[in-house]
Amino acid sequence: MVREITIGQYYDEESVIHRLDPRVKLVATLVYIVAIFVVDSIAGYALVALFLAACIMLSKVPVKYIVKGLKPVMIILLLTVVFNMLLTPGETLFKFGIINISKEGLKAGSTMALRLILLITGSSLMTLTTTPNNLTDGMEKLLNPLKYIKVPVHEIAMMMSIALRFIPILLEETDIIMKAQMARGADFESGNIFKRAKAMVPLLVPLFVSAFRRANDLAMAMEARCYRGGDGRTKMKPLKYLRRDYIAYAIIWLFLAGCIVLRILL
Amino acid sequence: MGIIKTEKLSYEYIRRDDEGNVSGVTRAVDDVSIDVTQGEFIAILGHNGSGKSTLAKHINAILTPSEGEIWVDGINTAEAARIWDVRQKAGMVFQNPDNQIIGQLVEEDVGFGPENLGVPTDQIWERVEESLKLLGMLEYSKHSPNKLSGGQKQRVSIAGVLAMHPKCIIFDEPTAMLDPHGRREVVRAARALNDVEKITIVLITHYMEETIYADRLFVMDHGRIAMEGTPKEIFSQVEKLEELRLGVPQATKVAYELKKAGMPIPDGILTRQELREALKACL
């Protein structure tokens, strides 16, 4: 079940976007999100969509793959549109009994949907083109200044990368425990949602116990290999800005400037 | 003094009840004195709960003795300031391969130790390549560890320790979770490191067959060293081993029974090869 969600799963490909420094991609995603909420005209949305399309083209990730990733959020999208249409007061467009669709509501709904689609596609493009490890490395580097206000940046990044490393292992383990419980007559599939949730308890308890045991083992193995926090540690793959990264920075800031200009002019 | 030396080393696990009062003390290691020379391959054998793993954790300074002392390459592990030196000199490979691999890629995991030691980036890459090559895992350097077999994962763990340039590697039951093929892979790797790189190996196991290549063998029971000697010396004492709830290698067992039945077979047969030779000599 968990495996079916493709949104934000790394898609291996050789492209400029893939090779960009993760810090650039993180900053660019933030700037892009700001830009989505800056623009408010058709020309503005066109510019954002064009920019996104260009990035997707450059990344060589198939459009089909990205669209597939949008499916799980379709329901949320539809709900947003419907609620916006029905609940925004204004000039009536249609009227069926108590249902009242206003012109403003239609506009607000479609704007919101457009923004959400652009937002999700854009941010999933970042995770599609960056390995989880690169991403945590980039975050660690970007958040580094927070160290001075005693935020354990290195530790947070290390925790994230360990969590990512153990996801497949714990999934496999869940599968094994589930089969072991089913072999002894456990029923995970029938009954209503409460019954099924209750059936999960004998699954979760052994899973938790084993996760703690693994954590204990891993901590010992890390200490045995001289791990003592971030201080004095060197990097096997240090992040270094190259020419393409500076160019990417220039492009993204120009893009934001363009969006602001459009907002002011139109 | 050898690379590892313990003197009257004892370790007690203290059990506490819910209120934190001491409810019992288990003496896991009891008065152990051993001296291992640089370049030796030693094996420690014992059934579950004999204290062999507890002893191993002392060599890496994960545990420090309750009584007695232990020196690794001349450093007393009780010196808190030098604990990282001890851990760099004495690397450790654990039982469960999944629970000791940190990296998302094989090469990243091997680089983890050198990163912690503060080795410069270009040298990390050299060390990673060299270690993976020695363990025959270079072609897997860009693979995810999740997709490897148990024996391969364990070889990656060994490479990760090796990249820290240790003088001594402790294997704490590295084969307990592997299939026979994986077990052979790991033991072969340990022997190669000892032969070629002259790294001191301490192999802790409960599989007799893995210990026959050791220079010296210690048998532990109830936290004490019950027997000590070359594998030949130890395995010729079949009755005493059985008393300690340990078996002997299959070939040794067959030779022992044949001898008891009256055939003129020499003591201390360890491998099938030797058994075959001895039987040929009888005929």
Side-chain angles (χ1 to χ4, degrees):
Chain A
M1 186 183 83
V2 190
R3 283 161 228 250
E4 284 163 23
I5 300 172
T6 59
I7 179 169
Q9 254 184 40
Y10 181 64
Y11 186 90
D12 197 20
E13 181 67 73
E14 273 293 311
S15 80
V16 195
I17 306 273
H18 281 76
R19 278 195 299 263
L20 278 181
D21 191 288
R23 284 171 290 178
V24 177
K25 285 187 262 188
L26 279 164
V27 170
T29 310
L30 278 177
V31 171
Y32 170 81
I33 291 171
V34 171
I36 291 174
F37 290 94
V38 164
V39 293
D40 64 346
S41 60
I42 294 183
Y45 285 118
L47 178 66
V48 174
L50 210 70
F51 178 76
L52 181 65
C55 288
I56 293 174
M57 287 265 283
L58 278 174
S59 76
K60 295 189 192 159
V61 178
V63 178
K64 227 162 80 189
Y65 196 80
I66 297 174
V67 173
K68 210 170 81 189
L70 275 175
K71 267 187 200 153
V73 286
M74 231 34 199
I75 296 171
I76 304 171
L77 265 177
L78 274 175
L79 280 180
T80 328
V81 175
V82 169
F83 276 110
N84 261 301
M85 271 195 319
L86 296 182
L87 300 176
T88 316
E91 194 188 322
T92 306
L93 213 57
F94 305 108
K95 201 173 164 117
F96 311 104
I98 49 159
I99 301 168
N100 192 8
I101 298 174
S102 65
K103 201 174 165 193
E104 283 79 4
L106 197 64
K107 197 179 162 223
S110 47
T111 315
M112 195 46 91
L114 191 61
R115 278 183 173 160
L116 275 175
I117 290 174
L118 288 172
L119 183 85
I120 294 163
T121 319
S123 42
S124 69
L125 186 66
M126 174 191 65
T127 47
L128 279 166
T129 56
T130 320
T131 59
N133 239 13
N134 245 329
L135 211 57
T136 46
D137 266 5
M139 254 183 240
E140 183 182 350
K141 251 315 207 341
L142 273 181
L143 298 178
N144 214 23
L146 293 181
K147 242 177 26 194
Y148 299 106
I149 53 165
K150 300 253 182 309
V151 178
V153 177
H154 167 78
E155 282 73 10
I156 293 171
M158 181 56 88
M159 268 156 54
M160 278 171 55
S161 65
I162 290 175
L164 287 168
R165 150 103 180 92
F166 276 87
I167 287 171
I169 294 177
L170 289 178
L171 273 180
E172 198 179 315
E173 184 139 27
T174 314
D175 209 42
I176 293 172
I177 297 172
M178 212 160 176
K179 278 185 186 140
Q181 308 281 40
M182 272 152 79
R184 285 180 284 162
D187 184 4
F188 294 112
E189 267 131 31
S190 63
N192 57 26
I193 190 151
F194 293 106
K195 250 190 191 147
R196 268 196 273 174
K198 226 175 148 190
M200 284 295 182
V201 174
L203 186 69
L204 288 177
V205 172
L207 193 65
F208 262 92
V209 171
S210 124
F212 276 111
R213 190 173 304 135
R214 280 180 194 282
N216 196 22
D217 279 4
L218 186 74
M220 195 156 65
M222 284 170 75
E223 279 197 5
R225 281 162 80 181
C226 291
Y227 179 73
R228 55 197 124 162
D231 297 333
R233 214 165 169 266
T234 45
K235 284 264 177 201
M236 184 180 180
K237 296 175 176 171
L239 295 176
K240 239 191 246 135
Y241 282 132
L242 298 173
R243 213 165 63 103
R244 57 165 174 262
D245 298 311
Y246 293 117
I247 296 172
Y249 268 135
I251 292 172
I252 189 75
W253 290 117
L254 269 175
F255 164 68
L256 183 65
C259 290
I260 294 171
V261 168
L262 277 179
R263 165 93 188 219
I264 295 166
L265 288 183
L266 299 172
Chain B
M1 194 192 312
I3 175 105
I4 302 162
K5 183 178 163 64
T6 71
E7 210 172 271
K8 297 194 184 328
L9 185 143
S10 300
Y11 185 81
E12 285 167 344
Y13 282 108
I14 297 168
R15 281 194 307 272
R16 291 177 191 278
D17 57 21
D18 296 338
E19 278 90 48
N21 303 314
V22 176
S23 64
V25 175
T26 313
R27 217 172 164 81
V29 177
D30 192 6
D31 199 23
V32 168
S33 301
I34 56 172
D35 196 342
V36 182
T37 343
Q38 172 72 51
E40 233 183 334
F41 185 143
I42 72 157
I44 301 177
L45 197 58
H47 58 77
N48 289 341
S50 62
K52 55 190 195 305
S53 277
T54 310
L55 178 62
K57 284 179 188 131
H58 279 85
I59 308 174
N60 194 256
I62 290 172
L63 298 175
T64 47
S66 312
E67 282 165 45
E69 271 169 300
I70 170 163
W71 294 269
V72 175
D73 202 24
I75 306 167
N76 191 328
T77 63
E79 273 181 68
R82 301 197 65 187
I83 193 165
W84 304 108
D85 289 335
V86 172
R87 288 185 183 161
Q88 186 262 316
K89 283 175 200 287
M92 192 144 174
V93 177
F94 295 90
Q95 189 182 84
N96 189 331
D98 280 328
N99 295 357
Q100 56 183 319
I101 293 179
I102 295 119
Q104 305 255 4
L105 295 177
V106 166
E107 59 181 19
E108 283 170 8
D109 185 68
V110 178
F112 180 75
E115 280 183 334
N116 292 335
L117 296 175
V119 176
T121 303
D122 46 337
Q123 283 177 37
I124 295 181
W125 283 96
E126 275 169 33
R127 285 185 183 207
V128 168
E129 201 182 312
E130 168 197 68
S131 312
L132 282 173
K133 203 184 259 168
L134 261 167
L135 272 303
M137 292 296 291
L138 195 56
E139 55 184 304
Y140 296 97
S141 62
K142 304 272 180 215
H143 286 224
S144 155
N146 293 329
K147 298 205 172 102
L148 301 177
S149 75
Q152 287 173 329
K153 280 184 206 168
Q154 227 30 334
R155 266 151 69 198
V156 171
S157 312
I158 299 171
V161 171
L162 192 64
M164 295 171 72
H165 290 176
K167 285 193 162 180
C168 153
I169 301 179
I170 304 116
F171 289 82
D172 187 3
E173 301 197 48
T175 57
M177 301 184 75
L178 305 181
D179 57 8
H181 182 73
R183 285 217 298 267
R184 269 197 301 278
E185 270 177 68
V186 170
V187 174
R188 204 178 295 141
R191 286 176 66 199
L193 290 182
N194 182 248
D195 279 350
V196 181
E197 301 292 303
K198 306 291 173 225
I199 293 173
T200 312
I201 304 284
V202 178
L203 174 66
I204 288 158
T205 182
H206 57 255
Y207 291 110
M208 320 294 140
E209 284 79 4
E210 293 171 3
T211 63
I212 59 179
Y213 305 104
D215 296 320
R216 257 193 311 156
L217 182 56
F218 296 91
V219 179
M220 282 190 78
D221 184 54
H222 290 107
R224 289 174 170 274
I225 300 280
M227 295 163 87
E228 178 186 344
T230 63
K232 256 191 173 35
E233 287 164 9
I234 303 279
F235 288 126
S236 40
Q237 305 172 52
V238 178
E239 280 135 13
K240 191 163 178 201
L241 280 170
E242 277 172 354
E243 228 170 78
L244 296 172
R245 287 185 283 152
L246 288 166
V248 292
Q250 226 173 20
T252 314
K253 181 82 180 160
V254 172
Y256 170 77
E257 294 295 340
L258 284 174
K259 195 183 170 196
K260 232 172 48 176
M263 281 180 79
I265 285 177
D267 271 337
I269 282 182
L270 300 178
T271 60
R272 287 178 185 205
Q273 182 72 26
E274 285 172 354
L275 180 64
R276 210 176 298 141
E277 300 293 319
L279 283 175
K280 260 187 213 155
C282 289
L283 297 171

PDB file of all heavy atoms in Angstrom, chain A residues 79-97:
ATOM      1  N   LEU A  79     -12.255  18.636  -3.285  1.00  0.00           N
ATOM      2  CA  LEU A  79     -12.948  19.188  -2.123  1.00  0.00           C
ATOM      3  C   LEU A  79     -12.719  20.693  -2.030  1.00  0.00           C
ATOM      4  O   LEU A  79     -13.640  21.463  -1.778  1.00  0.00           O
ATOM      5  CB  LEU A  79     -12.446  18.510  -0.847  1.00  0.00           C
ATOM      6  CG  LEU A  79     -13.056  17.139  -0.555  1.00  0.00           C
ATOM      7  CD1 LEU A  79     -12.483  16.575   0.727  1.00  0.00           C
ATOM      8  CD2 LEU A  79     -14.583  17.264  -0.423  1.00  0.00           C
ATOM      9  N   THR A  80     -11.456  21.114  -2.254  1.00  0.00           N
ATOM     10  CA  THR A  80     -11.140  22.538  -2.182  1.00  0.00           C
ATOM     11  C   THR A  80     -11.965  23.324  -3.179  1.00  0.00           C
ATOM     12  O   THR A  80     -12.547  24.366  -2.853  1.00  0.00           O
ATOM     13  CB  THR A  80      -9.644  22.762  -2.510  1.00  0.00           C
ATOM     14  OG1 THR A  80      -8.909  21.652  -2.070  1.00  0.00           O
ATOM     15  CG2 THR A  80      -9.127  24.022  -1.902  1.00  0.00           C
ATOM     16  N   VAL A  81     -12.008  22.796  -4.394  1.00  0.00           N
ATOM     17  CA  VAL A  81     -12.741  23.504  -5.442  1.00  0.00           C
ATOM     18  C   VAL A  81     -14.218  23.603  -5.075  1.00  0.00           C
ATOM     19  O   VAL A  81     -14.819  24.678  -5.113  1.00  0.00           O
ATOM     20  CB  VAL A  81     -12.562  22.782  -6.797  1.00  0.00           C
ATOM     21  CG1 VAL A  81     -13.432  23.443  -7.855  1.00  0.00           C
ATOM     22  CG2 VAL A  81     -11.106  22.805  -7.216  1.00  0.00           C
ATOM     23  N   VAL A  82     -14.793  22.466  -4.661  1.00  0.00           N
ATOM     24  CA  VAL A  82     -16.227  22.437  -4.368  1.00  0.00           C
ATOM     25  C   VAL A  82     -16.567  23.388  -3.214  1.00  0.00           C
ATOM     26  O   VAL A  82     -17.484  24.202  -3.312  1.00  0.00           O
ATOM     27  CB  VAL A  82     -16.677  20.993  -4.048  1.00  0.00           C
ATOM     28  CG1 VAL A  82     -18.083  20.991  -3.482  1.00  0.00           C
ATOM     29  CG2 VAL A  82     -16.595  20.137  -5.304  1.00  0.00           C
ATOM     30  N   PHE A  83     -15.802  23.300  -2.140  1.00  0.00           N
ATOM     31  CA  PHE A  83     -16.096  24.157  -0.994  1.00  0.00           C
ATOM     32  C   PHE A  83     -15.951  25.633  -1.341  1.00  0.00           C
ATOM     33  O   PHE A  83     -16.760  26.468  -0.944  1.00  0.00           O
ATOM     34  CB  PHE A  83     -15.204  23.801   0.198  1.00  0.00           C
ATOM     35  CG  PHE A  83     -15.755  22.666   0.990  1.00  0.00           C
ATOM     36  CD1 PHE A  83     -15.148  21.424   0.985  1.00  0.00           C
ATOM     37  CD2 PHE A  83     -16.925  22.846   1.735  1.00  0.00           C
ATOM     38  CE1 PHE A  83     -15.683  20.368   1.708  1.00  0.00           C
ATOM     39  CE2 PHE A  83     -17.462  21.799   2.459  1.00  0.00           C
ATOM     40  CZ  PHE A  83     -16.834  20.558   2.440  1.00  0.00           C
ATOM     41  N   ASN A  84     -14.895  25.946  -2.097  1.00  0.00           N
ATOM     42  CA  ASN A  84     -14.692  27.330  -2.499  1.00  0.00           C
ATOM     43  C   ASN A  84     -15.852  27.833  -3.343  1.00  0.00           C
ATOM     44  O   ASN A  84     -16.324  28.953  -3.163  1.00  0.00           O
ATOM     45  CB  ASN A  84     -13.391  27.465  -3.292  1.00  0.00           C
ATOM     46  CG  ASN A  84     -12.263  27.963  -2.420  1.00  0.00           C
ATOM     47  OD1 ASN A  84     -12.362  29.043  -1.845  1.00  0.00           O
ATOM     48  ND2 ASN A  84     -11.232  27.176  -2.303  1.00  0.00           N
ATOM     49  N   MET A  85     -16.342  26.967  -4.240  1.00  0.00           N
ATOM     50  CA  MET A  85     -17.442  27.361  -5.118  1.00  0.00           C
ATOM     51  C   MET A  85     -18.713  27.617  -4.327  1.00  0.00           C
ATOM     52  O   MET A  85     -19.423  28.573  -4.579  1.00  0.00           O
ATOM     53  CB  MET A  85     -17.686  26.253  -6.151  1.00  0.00           C
ATOM     54  CG  MET A  85     -16.853  26.450  -7.374  1.00  0.00           C
ATOM     55  SD  MET A  85     -17.367  25.462  -8.780  1.00  0.00           S
ATOM     56  CE  MET A  85     -17.775  23.888  -8.121  1.00  0.00           C
ATOM     57  N   LEU A  86     -18.994  26.718  -3.383  1.00  0.00           N
ATOM     58  CA  LEU A  86     -20.268  26.777  -2.684  1.00  0.00           C
ATOM     59  C   LEU A  86     -20.295  27.826  -1.590  1.00  0.00           C
ATOM     60  O   LEU A  86     -21.330  28.413  -1.304  1.00  0.00           O
ATOM     61  CB  LEU A  86     -20.603  25.408  -2.084  1.00  0.00           C
ATOM     62  CG  LEU A  86     -20.806  24.293  -3.106  1.00  0.00           C
ATOM     63  CD1 LEU A  86     -21.186  23.004  -2.397  1.00  0.00           C
ATOM     64  CD2 LEU A  86     -21.893  24.671  -4.114  1.00  0.00           C
ATOM     65  N   LEU A  87     -19.195  28.061  -0.969  1.00  0.00           N
ATOM     66  CA  LEU A  87     -19.225  28.848   0.259  1.00  0.00           C
ATOM     67  C   LEU A  87     -18.772  30.291   0.086  1.00  0.00           C
ATOM     68  O   LEU A  87     -18.783  31.061   1.033  1.00  0.00           O
ATOM     69  CB  LEU A  87     -18.393  28.156   1.351  1.00  0.00           C
ATOM     70  CG  LEU A  87     -18.889  26.742   1.708  1.00  0.00           C
ATOM     71  CD1 LEU A  87     -17.981  26.082   2.711  1.00  0.00           C
ATOM     72  CD2 LEU A  87     -20.311  26.797   2.236  1.00  0.00           C
ATOM     73  N   THR A  88     -18.310  30.666  -1.113  1.00  0.00           N
ATOM     74  CA  THR A  88     -17.915  32.057  -1.298  1.00  0.00           C
ATOM     75  C   THR A  88     -19.144  32.874  -1.684  1.00  0.00           C
ATOM     76  O   THR A  88     -19.805  32.558  -2.674  1.00  0.00           O
ATOM     77  CB  THR A  88     -16.855  32.177  -2.413  1.00  0.00           C
ATOM     78  OG1 THR A  88     -15.905  31.144  -2.223  1.00  0.00           O
ATOM     79  CG2 THR A  88     -16.160  33.524  -2.370  1.00  0.00           C
ATOM     80  N   PRO A  89     -19.499  33.874  -0.913  1.00  0.00           N
ATOM     81  CA  PRO A  89     -20.673  34.689  -1.252  1.00  0.00           C
ATOM     82  C   PRO A  89     -20.364  35.604  -2.441  1.00  0.00           C
ATOM     83  O   PRO A  89     -19.217  35.935  -2.683  1.00  0.00           O
ATOM     84  CB  PRO A  89     -20.909  35.495   0.029  1.00  0.00           C
ATOM     85  CG  PRO A  89     -19.596  35.527   0.733  1.00  0.00           C
ATOM     86  CD  PRO A  89     -18.797  34.344   0.282  1.00  0.00           C
ATOM     87  N   GLY A  90     -21.369  35.977  -3.173  1.00  0.00           N
ATOM     88  CA  GLY A  90     -21.159  36.896  -4.289  1.00  0.00           C
ATOM     89  C   GLY A  90     -22.267  36.768  -5.311  1.00  0.00           C
ATOM     90  O   GLY A  90     -23.324  36.193  -5.039  1.00  0.00           O
ATOM     91  N   GLU A  91     -22.025  37.277  -6.472  1.00  0.00           N
ATOM     92  CA  GLU A  91     -23.006  37.306  -7.549  1.00  0.00           C
ATOM     93  C   GLU A  91     -23.382  35.896  -7.980  1.00  0.00           C
ATOM     94  O   GLU A  91     -22.504  35.090  -8.283  1.00  0.00           O
ATOM     95  CB  GLU A  91     -22.365  38.033  -8.738  1.00  0.00           C
ATOM     96  CG  GLU A  91     -23.339  38.440  -9.814  1.00  0.00           C
ATOM     97  CD  GLU A  91     -22.575  38.960 -11.019  1.00  0.00           C
ATOM     98  OE1 GLU A  91     -21.543  39.649 -10.794  1.00  0.00           O
ATOM     99  OE2 GLU A  91     -22.966  38.667 -12.153  1.00  0.00           O
ATOM    100  N   THR A  92     -24.691  35.593  -7.966  1.00  0.00           N
ATOM    101  CA  THR A  92     -25.103  34.216  -8.238  1.00  0.00           C
ATOM    102  C   THR A  92     -24.982  33.888  -9.715  1.00  0.00           C
ATOM    103  O   THR A  92     -25.321  34.688 -10.587  1.00  0.00           O
ATOM    104  CB  THR A  92     -26.555  34.017  -7.803  1.00  0.00           C
ATOM    105  OG1 THR A  92     -26.657  34.418  -6.451  1.00  0.00           O
ATOM    106  CG2 THR A  92     -26.973  32.561  -7.933  1.00  0.00           C
ATOM    107  N   LEU A  93     -24.440  32.691  -9.962  1.00  0.00           N
ATOM    108  CA  LEU A  93     -24.263  32.238 -11.334  1.00  0.00           C
ATOM    109  C   LEU A  93     -25.319  31.174 -11.648  1.00  0.00           C
ATOM    110  O   LEU A  93     -26.042  31.273 -12.616  1.00  0.00           O
ATOM    111  CB  LEU A  93     -22.848  31.665 -11.485  1.00  0.00           C
ATOM    112  CG  LEU A  93     -22.183  31.860 -12.829  1.00  0.00           C
ATOM    113  CD1 LEU A  93     -22.106  33.322 -13.219  1.00  0.00           C
ATOM    114  CD2 LEU A  93     -20.785  31.250 -12.783  1.00  0.00           C
ATOM    115  N   PHE A  94     -25.365  30.136 -10.790  1.00  0.00           N
ATOM    116  CA  PHE A  94     -26.414  29.108 -10.870  1.00  0.00           C
ATOM    117  C   PHE A  94     -27.080  29.019  -9.525  1.00  0.00           C
ATOM    118  O   PHE A  94     -26.497  29.368  -8.520  1.00  0.00           O
ATOM    119  CB  PHE A  94     -25.819  27.723 -11.174  1.00  0.00           C
ATOM    120  CG  PHE A  94     -24.980  27.692 -12.402  1.00  0.00           C
ATOM    121  CD1 PHE A  94     -23.601  27.575 -12.292  1.00  0.00           C
ATOM    122  CD2 PHE A  94     -25.559  27.773 -13.663  1.00  0.00           C
ATOM    123  CE1 PHE A  94     -22.809  27.539 -13.427  1.00  0.00           C
ATOM    124  CE2 PHE A  94     -24.769  27.742 -14.792  1.00  0.00           C
ATOM    125  CZ  PHE A  94     -23.385  27.617 -14.686  1.00  0.00           C
ATOM    126  N   LYS A  95     -28.286  28.471  -9.533  1.00  0.00           N
ATOM    127  CA  LYS A  95     -28.955  28.251  -8.256  1.00  0.00           C
ATOM    128  C   LYS A  95     -29.834  27.018  -8.349  1.00  0.00           C
ATOM    129  O   LYS A  95     -30.703  26.921  -9.219  1.00  0.00           O
ATOM    130  CB  LYS A  95     -29.817  29.477  -7.903  1.00  0.00           C
ATOM    131  CG  LYS A  95     -30.109  29.543  -6.423  1.00  0.00           C
ATOM    132  CD  LYS A  95     -30.804  30.855  -6.081  1.00  0.00           C
ATOM    133  CE  LYS A  95     -31.397  30.676  -4.705  1.00  0.00           C
ATOM    134  NZ  LYS A  95     -30.858  31.562  -3.722  1.00  0.00           N
ATOM    135  N   PHE A  96     -29.547  26.007  -7.504  1.00  0.00           N
ATOM    136  CA  PHE A  96     -30.414  24.829  -7.425  1.00  0.00           C
ATOM    137  C   PHE A  96     -30.827  24.701  -5.984  1.00  0.00           C
ATOM    138  O   PHE A  96     -30.024  24.293  -5.158  1.00  0.00           O
ATOM    139  CB  PHE A  96     -29.680  23.530  -7.813  1.00  0.00           C
ATOM    140  CG  PHE A  96     -28.918  23.630  -9.105  1.00  0.00           C
ATOM    141  CD1 PHE A  96     -27.530  23.759  -9.096  1.00  0.00           C
ATOM    142  CD2 PHE A  96     -29.579  23.586 -10.330  1.00  0.00           C
ATOM    143  CE1 PHE A  96     -26.826  23.831 -10.278  1.00  0.00           C
ATOM    144  CE2 PHE A  96     -28.869  23.672 -11.509  1.00  0.00           C
ATOM    145  CZ  PHE A  96     -27.492  23.797 -11.502  1.00  0.00           C
ATOM    146  N   GLY A  97     -32.030  25.031  -5.674  1.00  0.00           N
ATOM    147  CA  GLY A  97     -32.504  24.952  -4.292  1.00  0.00           C
ATOM    148  C   GLY A  97     -31.639  25.807  -3.389  1.00  0.00           C
ATOM    149  O   GLY A  97     -31.495  27.015  -3.602  1.00  0.00           O
TER     150      GLY A  97
END
